[in-house]
Amino acid sequence: MADGYAQATRNAGFVNLHSAAGVGNALGNVFTAYRNQTPLVITAGQQARSILPLQPFLYAERASEFPRPYVKFAIEPARAEDVPAAIARAYYVAMQPPCGPTFVSVPIDDWTHPTQPVEARSVSREFGPDPDAMKALAAELAASKAPAFVVGPGVDRAQAVDWMVRLAEKTRAAVWVSPFSARCSFPERHPQFAGFLNASPAHVSDTLRAHDLVVVIGAPVFTFHVEGHAAIFDGTTTIFQITDDPDSAAVTPAGTSIIASIKPSLAMLIDILPETGRAIPAGRSLPPAPLAGDPIAAEFVLHTLSTAMPADAVLVEEAPSHRPAMQNFMPMRGQDSFTPWRVAASAMLCRHRSGSRWDVWAPGRFA
């Protein structure tokens, strides 16, 4: 619930777990939040400091190490007086790109100690790209005969989908979705939308073989689920990456990585790119939007309902059917856009309407 709340509000969710047992039970969800870069501040109880040397029931011997490495920051403050500052730091770290969960262990007797209030601070979360690297990318895009963008969840997390559309239209490049992308970062009924990449080295290489330039934005290069030869890294394809995650940039096996916030990067690139004479690439063929009364388009009913919902309403439903005919009609971004979802059966889809747009998340793993 906190994961979904954090993704919908784009602000850190707060979770309080029950000592070592609660942290252990939650580790799968902590891992999911870490992989999806969901900002969470997690606190967990700890036994009283006075009996910690006696190894009391349900204590954690090394509490701050328990959820690592799937938290960005973990601490058990040395003094009760340090707990408020530790929680404040956990929030600022969780919200700093790349976002993710943080952890604070609090001994039970700390809650009875008086402390000083901690004033809220303003911490900037945007950081700009290197101008020379962006100029090099712009030059490659201008010279490319068949460029492609691979968009990941980082684009939507940065609320930069509109900027991504503008960039795609200016460059007339095909747009693919990165493997295991947990968010919708490009409208799937756009003429330049090309489809989804599988988490297979061979499939990614074969699919992108026709492109002489591949620019990955807001995603790793690439997330794989099976082994195999990734011919795309053999040097025949020029690869660029724009990411706000230094770890993602560090593990990229080939090409140039630009570490920066997504929105200022796209804005700069659009500004410095020249106009192109390339033809608009053919997009993926999609079925028409469902008609009222279509017996298989239950999602159409949900979409119709959504248009009458208040702006702050939340719609929660079980994961949709896996039938292909049904998957094409999940409302995502306004009334003219639909997207297929392939979600684990145990997942829950929640849509929060914000003006004319939707935020969509699932605590389950996307497949």
PDB file of all heavy atoms in Angstrom, residues 285-299:
ATOM      1  N   SER A 285       1.068  -1.724 -35.156  1.00  0.00           N
ATOM      2  CA  SER A 285      -0.354  -1.765 -35.493  1.00  0.00           C
ATOM      3  C   SER A 285      -1.147  -2.158 -34.264  1.00  0.00           C
ATOM      4  O   SER A 285      -0.923  -3.212 -33.671  1.00  0.00           O
ATOM      5  CB  SER A 285      -0.597  -2.776 -36.621  1.00  0.00           C
ATOM      6  OG  SER A 285      -1.971  -2.876 -36.903  1.00  0.00           O
ATOM      7  N   LEU A 286      -2.075  -1.302 -33.860  1.00  0.00           N
ATOM      8  CA  LEU A 286      -2.897  -1.556 -32.683  1.00  0.00           C
ATOM      9  C   LEU A 286      -4.361  -1.693 -33.067  1.00  0.00           C
ATOM     10  O   LEU A 286      -4.813  -1.087 -34.040  1.00  0.00           O
ATOM     11  CB  LEU A 286      -2.751  -0.416 -31.676  1.00  0.00           C
ATOM     12  CG  LEU A 286      -1.400  -0.287 -30.981  1.00  0.00           C
ATOM     13  CD1 LEU A 286      -1.387   0.978 -30.141  1.00  0.00           C
ATOM     14  CD2 LEU A 286      -1.103  -1.483 -30.130  1.00  0.00           C
ATOM     15  N   PRO A 287      -5.111  -2.484 -32.324  1.00  0.00           N
ATOM     16  CA  PRO A 287      -6.539  -2.603 -32.605  1.00  0.00           C
ATOM     17  C   PRO A 287      -7.243  -1.307 -32.271  1.00  0.00           C
ATOM     18  O   PRO A 287      -6.743  -0.490 -31.507  1.00  0.00           O
ATOM     19  CB  PRO A 287      -6.981  -3.734 -31.667  1.00  0.00           C
ATOM     20  CG  PRO A 287      -5.993  -3.690 -30.548  1.00  0.00           C
ATOM     21  CD  PRO A 287      -4.696  -3.285 -31.181  1.00  0.00           C
ATOM     22  N   PRO A 288      -8.412  -1.081 -32.856  1.00  0.00           N
ATOM     23  CA  PRO A 288      -9.147   0.149 -32.552  1.00  0.00           C
ATOM     24  C   PRO A 288      -9.622   0.173 -31.120  1.00  0.00           C
ATOM     25  O   PRO A 288      -9.707  -0.849 -30.455  1.00  0.00           O
ATOM     26  CB  PRO A 288     -10.338   0.090 -33.529  1.00  0.00           C
ATOM     27  CG  PRO A 288     -10.518  -1.375 -33.796  1.00  0.00           C
ATOM     28  CD  PRO A 288      -9.138  -1.959 -33.785  1.00  0.00           C
ATOM     29  N   ALA A 289      -9.920   1.372 -30.634  1.00  0.00           N
ATOM     30  CA  ALA A 289     -10.455   1.503 -29.281  1.00  0.00           C
ATOM     31  C   ALA A 289     -11.776   0.743 -29.192  1.00  0.00           C
ATOM     32  O   ALA A 289     -12.506   0.627 -30.171  1.00  0.00           O
ATOM     33  CB  ALA A 289     -10.667   2.977 -28.957  1.00  0.00           C
ATOM     34  N   PRO A 290     -12.106   0.180 -28.033  1.00  0.00           N
ATOM     35  CA  PRO A 290     -13.322  -0.625 -27.894  1.00  0.00           C
ATOM     36  C   PRO A 290     -14.570   0.220 -28.026  1.00  0.00           C
ATOM     37  O   PRO A 290     -14.567   1.411 -27.735  1.00  0.00           O
ATOM     38  CB  PRO A 290     -13.185  -1.197 -26.480  1.00  0.00           C
ATOM     39  CG  PRO A 290     -12.354  -0.184 -25.768  1.00  0.00           C
ATOM     40  CD  PRO A 290     -11.370   0.324 -26.788  1.00  0.00           C
ATOM     41  N   LEU A 291     -15.626  -0.413 -28.456  1.00  0.00           N
ATOM     42  CA  LEU A 291     -16.919   0.250 -28.597  1.00  0.00           C
ATOM     43  C   LEU A 291     -17.790  -0.100 -27.403  1.00  0.00           C
ATOM     44  O   LEU A 291     -17.675  -1.165 -26.803  1.00  0.00           O
ATOM     45  CB  LEU A 291     -17.607  -0.195 -29.895  1.00  0.00           C
ATOM     46  CG  LEU A 291     -16.835   0.098 -31.193  1.00  0.00           C
ATOM     47  CD1 LEU A 291     -17.594  -0.487 -32.377  1.00  0.00           C
ATOM     48  CD2 LEU A 291     -16.640   1.592 -31.365  1.00  0.00           C
ATOM     49  N   ALA A 292     -18.656   0.798 -27.052  1.00  0.00           N
ATOM     50  CA  ALA A 292     -19.594   0.532 -25.962  1.00  0.00           C
ATOM     51  C   ALA A 292     -20.414  -0.711 -26.302  1.00  0.00           C
ATOM     52  O   ALA A 292     -20.866  -0.888 -27.433  1.00  0.00           O
ATOM     53  CB  ALA A 292     -20.510   1.735 -25.762  1.00  0.00           C
ATOM     54  N   GLY A 293     -20.585  -1.578 -25.343  1.00  0.00           N
ATOM     55  CA  GLY A 293     -21.341  -2.801 -25.565  1.00  0.00           C
ATOM     56  C   GLY A 293     -20.497  -3.979 -25.966  1.00  0.00           C
ATOM     57  O   GLY A 293     -21.009  -5.091 -26.072  1.00  0.00           O
ATOM     58  N   ASP A 294     -19.213  -3.779 -26.233  1.00  0.00           N
ATOM     59  CA  ASP A 294     -18.339  -4.890 -26.589  1.00  0.00           C
ATOM     60  C   ASP A 294     -18.252  -5.841 -25.405  1.00  0.00           C
ATOM     61  O   ASP A 294     -17.797  -5.458 -24.330  1.00  0.00           O
ATOM     62  CB  ASP A 294     -16.941  -4.337 -26.930  1.00  0.00           C
ATOM     63  CG  ASP A 294     -16.010  -5.425 -27.446  1.00  0.00           C
ATOM     64  OD1 ASP A 294     -16.297  -6.610 -27.187  1.00  0.00           O
ATOM     65  OD2 ASP A 294     -15.015  -5.085 -28.092  1.00  0.00           O
ATOM     66  N   PRO A 295     -18.668  -7.101 -25.545  1.00  0.00           N
ATOM     67  CA  PRO A 295     -18.727  -7.997 -24.382  1.00  0.00           C
ATOM     68  C   PRO A 295     -17.367  -8.341 -23.811  1.00  0.00           C
ATOM     69  O   PRO A 295     -17.271  -8.735 -22.660  1.00  0.00           O
ATOM     70  CB  PRO A 295     -19.440  -9.239 -24.933  1.00  0.00           C
ATOM     71  CG  PRO A 295     -19.170  -9.198 -26.402  1.00  0.00           C
ATOM     72  CD  PRO A 295     -19.164  -7.756 -26.767  1.00  0.00           C
ATOM     73  N   ILE A 296     -16.290  -8.224 -24.604  1.00  0.00           N
ATOM     74  CA  ILE A 296     -14.980  -8.601 -24.072  1.00  0.00           C
ATOM     75  C   ILE A 296     -14.228  -7.407 -23.519  1.00  0.00           C
ATOM     76  O   ILE A 296     -13.164  -7.549 -22.950  1.00  0.00           O
ATOM     77  CB  ILE A 296     -14.119  -9.278 -25.154  1.00  0.00           C
ATOM     78  CG1 ILE A 296     -13.716  -8.272 -26.239  1.00  0.00           C
ATOM     79  CG2 ILE A 296     -14.801 -10.488 -25.729  1.00  0.00           C
ATOM     80  CD1 ILE A 296     -12.643  -8.800 -27.158  1.00  0.00           C
ATOM     81  N   ALA A 297     -14.738  -6.209 -23.688  1.00  0.00           N
ATOM     82  CA  ALA A 297     -13.989  -5.010 -23.279  1.00  0.00           C
ATOM     83  C   ALA A 297     -14.516  -4.476 -21.963  1.00  0.00           C
ATOM     84  O   ALA A 297     -15.056  -3.393 -21.877  1.00  0.00           O
ATOM     85  CB  ALA A 297     -14.055  -3.954 -24.367  1.00  0.00           C
ATOM     86  N   ALA A 298     -14.333  -5.262 -20.911  1.00  0.00           N
ATOM     87  CA  ALA A 298     -14.794  -4.808 -19.593  1.00  0.00           C
ATOM     88  C   ALA A 298     -14.060  -3.554 -19.175  1.00  0.00           C
ATOM     89  O   ALA A 298     -14.616  -2.693 -18.483  1.00  0.00           O
ATOM     90  CB  ALA A 298     -14.570  -5.918 -18.565  1.00  0.00           C
ATOM     91  N   GLU A 299     -12.792  -3.438 -19.620  1.00  0.00           N
ATOM     92  CA  GLU A 299     -12.012  -2.252 -19.245  1.00  0.00           C
ATOM     93  C   GLU A 299     -12.609  -0.983 -19.850  1.00  0.00           C
ATOM     94  O   GLU A 299     -12.380   0.115 -19.345  1.00  0.00           O
ATOM     95  CB  GLU A 299     -10.558  -2.407 -19.687  1.00  0.00           C
ATOM     96  CG  GLU A 299      -9.739  -3.309 -18.774  1.00  0.00           C
ATOM     97  CD  GLU A 299     -10.018  -4.776 -19.038  1.00  0.00           C
ATOM     98  OE1 GLU A 299     -10.766  -5.077 -19.985  1.00  0.00           O
ATOM     99  OE2 GLU A 299      -9.494  -5.623 -18.288  1.00  0.00           O
TER     100      GLU A 299
END
